[in-house]
Amino acid sequence: MTLPMATPDTDIDLWLNQQTDKSLLRFLTCGSVDDGKSTLIGRLLYDSQLILDDQLASLKKESRNRTTGDEGIDFSLLVDGLAAEREQGITIDVAYRFFSTDKRKFIVADTPGHEQYTRNMATGASNADLALVLIDARKGVLTQTRRHSFILSLIGVKHVVLVVNKIDLVDYDQAVFDKIVAEYRAFAEPLGFKSLAAVPVSALRGDNILATSPRTPWYRGSALVPYLETVEVAEDRTEQKFRFPVQWVNRPNLDFRGLSGTVASGAIAVGDDVLIASSRKPAVIKRIVTMDGELNQAVAGQAVTLVLDREVDVSRGDVLARPGETPEFSNQFQARLVWMSEESAFPGRSYLLKVGSQLVPATITDLKFRTNVNTLEHTAATKIDLNEVATVTIATDKPLAFDSYATNALTGGFILIDRLSNATLGAGTIEFGLRRAQNLTYQAFDVNRAVRASMKGQQPRIVWFTGLSGSGKSSIANLLEKRLTAEGRHAYILDGDNVRHGLNKDLGFTEAARVENIRRVAEVAKLMADAGLIVLVSFISPFEKERRLAREIAGDIDFAEVYVDTPLEVCEARDPKGLYKRARAGEIKNFTGIDSPFEAPTNAELVLHGAEDEPTVLSEQLYDWLKI
C-alpha cells in the first residue's frame, strides 16, 4: 500500500510550481503512552516512500525482536530519534516530520504521551492546525487522553481526529470503536472543537490509513490520509483586526527610523491610519520596507519594517492597531493556565510574563479554581501543580496590550517564566481584561516621602532580616531599634509572630500561605517606609523568590537583606519557644528547617553569623554597616 507519488514531471519548473501551490497542514499526534503515535507517523512516512533503501534495511535489522507488521518494520523507530526513546519505547521530545501527497504537504509533530513530558506536547500543539488524538482500542479513553484534549482546547487547536488505533487487536470490533467514540464525544463536547472526526486504524498493519480497510466493512467514513488531504482548517488571519507587535525599533542611521516586526493579523497599507495601543498616539503608515524592497501592503505573517509619518514614542513590545480596533490595555486579566513545572505555582509569587514581544513581571493574584481534566469539574485550590489547569487572575507590573485568545491567538496567548532560571513554567490563554484595573490610578499628594523623611531627619529604609527560627533575628532587631530610638530615630519592628496575631492571622504555614504572608508584610513595610520610618522586618522568609518579591515591592526605597546565618543545630539547641522539639515530635507541620526548606540567601547585603557572636555584637556590626 503506497501513497500516490508526486512524480517529477519532465518539466521541472511545472513540478516545482505544483509543489509550491500545495496547501500545508500542520498537525500533531497526541494521547497516552503507547497508543501508537510514533508508529502511525512512521507508517505515513513509509507509505509516502520517503524512506531510502539503506534506511529500510537498517530499520528491519533494528526491528528484530520487536512487534512488527507485514513489512517486518517497527515503524516507531523512524520517529524515535533519541537513544532513550528507543530503549524505553516511548517518545520524550517533540519530533517534527515532513511528508506530502499529490494534494497537500504535511508537517507532523510527534509529541510525548507520558505525563512527565506534557509541556512538550503543549509545545507541539502551539503551532498545529489539527490534532490526531490517538486511543489504544484495548484501553479506551484514559486520563492523559482527556488531559491532552483539554490542553488542545486551551491552546486553540480547533480540529481533532480521534484515531482509535490497534483496532486489529480487538478483532476489528465495531462495538469497541463505537463505545470509545461515544465516550470521547461526550467528554469533548464542552471543549468546543470545530470539527471532530473518528477513524478506526491499525497503524501497524495499515488499516484505514490510505484507503478504507476491507477488515472494517462497518466503517463508512473516510480513511485517515484522504481526510487529512481535504479537511479545511484555514482561518484567514488577514481577515482579523490588524495587530503589529513591535519587535525592535530599526534605526540604522539618523535618516531612518522604522518599526520592525511581523504582522500578527490583518493587513496594512501605505497611507493607512494606525494607533499605538499603549499611548493611543495616532500616526500614518508612510512606507513598508522589506529586504526585497518596499511594499504597498503587508498582510498577516509578513515580516516588515513600518515607517510612520511622524515621530511617536514607540518601543519594543508596543502594538500597532487601527483606530477603533485597538486591543485591550490593562494590567489585570483573567486567564486559563496550564502549569508545566515540578515547582508548584502560588498566588502572590512573582514571575515574568511574555505576550508576543512584551515581557513584564507578573503575579497570580487569585486562583479562582482548578479544572479536573477527567470530569471538567471546577475545584477550589491554593496552588497549581505539574500538568494541572486552572483559571486565574494575573496582575502585571505595567499595562499590556492584548486580545482575548478567542479572537486572536497570537496576542491572546502568554507564557510564565521563572525569574531566576528563565525556564518556562506555564502557558496560558487570556479570557478577558479586568476593567477595574483601568479605573485605578495612584493619587499624588503634596506631602510625600521626602517631606516626611525630612521632618524626621532620617533616611527611610527597610532592613529585611532572614534566617531560621532561633537564629537571633528578633534579638538583633530589638537591640538595633533600642539604639535608634535612643538616638531619636523613628523605627519599627515588623516581627513574624506579632504580625500573625493580627494582619496575617488568617494564614497558615503551607508554602502558599507563606508566599502571601511575605507579600502582605512587604507591602506594609513599604507603606511604613513611605511614611518616613526605618522598618526592621524580622521574618524567617524561607524562600528566595519571596525575598526577591519583597525587594521589588520596596521599589526605590532603600532595601537591605540581612541574613542571620545560624546553623540549624544551634537554633535547635536554643529552641527558645520549644518549637523545634514539637516539630521533631510531629506536633507542628511545615516547620522551616525540619520538614519545610529554607533557601539560604546568595546575595544578601550583609551576613551576620549568629553562632559566633552575641546579639549585642551583631547589632553593633549591623548599625555600623547601615551608616545611619
Side-chain angles (χ1 to χ4, degrees), residues 407-434:
T407 59
N408 195 314
L410 293 176
T411 53
F414 65 91
I415 58 173
L416 288 180
I417 303 169
D418 187 282
R419 304 195 63 168
L420 298 176
S421 66
N422 283 327
T424 299
L425 302 176
T429 56
I430 298 173
E431 293 188 331
F432 51 82
L434 296 174

Side-chain angles (χ1 to χ4, degrees), residues 28-44 74-77 79-80 89-91 108-114 132-139 142 163-169 201-205 209 224:
L28 80 153
T29 58
C30 58
S32 190
V33 176
D34 203 26
D35 280 340
K37 298 180 288 298
S38 299
T39 301
L40 176 63
I41 296 176
R43 164 65 71 177
L44 292 173
D74 180 352
F75 292 108
S76 67
L77 296 176
V79 184
D80 290 340
I90 64 171
T91 300
V108 54
D110 182 24
T111 64
H114 197 283
L132 302 185
V133 178
L134 271 78
I135 291 180
D136 187 329
R138 300 167 301 171
K139 301 176 181 176
L142 302 176
V163 178
V164 182
N165 193 23
K166 304 183 183 181
I167 195 71
D168 54 314
L169 298 183
V201 157
S202 171
L204 190 66
R205 302 189 181 283
I209 300 294
L224 181 60

Side-chain angles (χ1 to χ4, degrees), residues 18 154 156 240 511 588:
Q18 289 174 345
L154 182 70
Q240 297 177 344
E511 193 169 349
I588 302 177

Side-chain angles (χ1 to χ4, degrees), residues 288-354:
I288 301 176
V289 182
T290 73
M291 290 290 291
D292 299 321
E294 298 198 14
L295 305 174
N296 290 322
Q297 185 184 41
V299 299
Q302 284 187 290
V304 298
T305 296
L306 303 180
V307 180
L308 305 182
D309 69 330
R310 69 199 73 176
E311 294 287 342
V312 292
D313 183 13
V314 180
S315 59
R316 175 179 168 81
D318 275 322
V319 177
L320 272 59
R322 292 180 182 278
E325 298 180 351
T326 52
E328 292 200 59
F329 189 68
S330 175
N331 63 353
Q332 287 192 50
F333 54 81
Q334 179 167 308
R336 291 203 295 178
L337 180 66
V338 56
W339 198 246
M340 303 175 180
S341 173
E342 300 280 355
E343 178 184 309
S344 302
F346 295 102
R349 183 162 285 178
S350 180
Y351 306 98
L352 290 177
L353 183 143
K354 191 172 190 297

Side-chain angles (χ1 to χ4, degrees), residues 19-307:
Q19 301 305 308
T20 304
D21 293 340
K22 288 180 184 176
S23 63
L24 173 65
L25 176 68
R26 294 175 182 268
F27 67 97
L28 80 153
T29 58
C30 58
S32 190
V33 176
D34 203 26
D35 280 340
K37 298 180 288 298
S38 299
T39 301
L40 176 63
I41 296 176
R43 164 65 71 177
L44 292 173
L45 296 176
Y46 176 77
D47 287 351
S48 60
Q49 299 183 4
L50 292 176
I51 314 302
L52 301 177
D53 290 343
D54 59 336
Q55 288 179 300
L56 278 177
S58 175
L59 286 171
K60 287 181 179 178
K61 185 177 180 181
E62 288 190 55
S63 299
R64 292 172 184 168
N65 301 322
R66 290 172 176 267
T67 302
T68 63
D70 299 336
E71 296 83 358
I73 298 174
D74 180 352
F75 292 108
S76 67
L77 296 176
L78 286 166
V79 184
D80 290 340
L82 300 176
E85 292 179 332
R86 295 189 175 208
E87 290 171 3
Q88 301 178 56
I90 64 171
T91 300
I92 296 174
D93 205 351
V94 183
Y96 293 93
R97 293 292 184 272
F98 171 86
F99 68 97
S100 68
T101 67
D102 282 346
K103 297 179 179 178
R104 208 168 212 178
K105 296 179 288 189
F106 302 92
I107 295 177
V108 54
D110 182 24
T111 64
H114 197 283
E115 184 175 343
Q116 179 182 354
Y117 303 111
T118 298
R119 76 179 73 181
N120 293 347
M121 175 268 164
T123 301
S126 61
N127 293 317
D129 303 309
L130 178 145
L132 302 185
V133 178
L134 271 78
I135 291 180
D136 187 329
R138 300 167 301 171
K139 301 176 181 176
V141 180
L142 302 176
T143 298
Q144 193 69 340
T145 311
R146 296 187 178 96
R147 176 179 288 115
H148 280 189
S149 299
F150 188 82
I151 292 174
L152 290 173
S153 70
L154 182 70
I155 292 180
V157 177
K158 299 186 182 304
H159 303 274
V160 167
V161 180
L162 185 68
V163 178
V164 182
N165 193 23
K166 304 183 183 181
I167 195 71
D168 54 314
L169 298 183
V170 294
D171 298 327
Y172 300 95
D173 190 339
Q174 180 182 1
V176 173
F177 175 76
D178 290 343
K179 180 182 178 183
I180 292 173
V181 173
E183 182 181 355
Y184 185 81
R185 285 189 182 279
F187 166 77
E189 185 177 2
L191 301 182
F193 295 126
K194 200 168 182 178
S195 70
L196 174 57
V199 186
V201 157
S202 171
L204 190 66
R205 302 189 181 283
D207 292 305
N208 291 323
I209 300 294
L210 292 179
T212 52
S213 170
R215 288 177 282 213
T216 56
W218 42 266
Y219 176 62
R220 304 299 181 189
S222 170
L224 181 60
V225 170
Y227 180 80
L228 296 178
E229 286 179 323
T230 56
V231 62
E232 185 58 51
V233 298
E235 292 183 0
D236 194 358
R237 284 195 284 137
T238 60
E239 299 299 322
Q240 297 177 344
K241 295 175 181 177
F242 172 67
R243 297 287 184 266
F244 184 80
V246 177
Q247 293 180 346
W248 66 295
V249 179
N250 186 351
R251 191 156 196 176
N253 55 61
L254 295 176
D255 299 324
F256 184 90
R257 183 175 185 266
L259 309 177
S260 297
T262 300
V263 180
S265 59
I268 197 72
V270 173
D272 285 353
D273 294 321
V274 293
L275 282 180
I276 314 303
S278 57
S279 63
R280 297 298 195 262
K281 295 290 185 184
V284 177
I285 301 296
K286 184 179 178 182
R287 297 167 59 193
I288 301 176
V289 182
T290 73
M291 290 290 291
D292 299 321
E294 298 198 14
L295 305 174
N296 290 322
Q297 185 184 41
V299 299
Q302 284 187 290
V304 298
T305 296
L306 303 180
V307 180

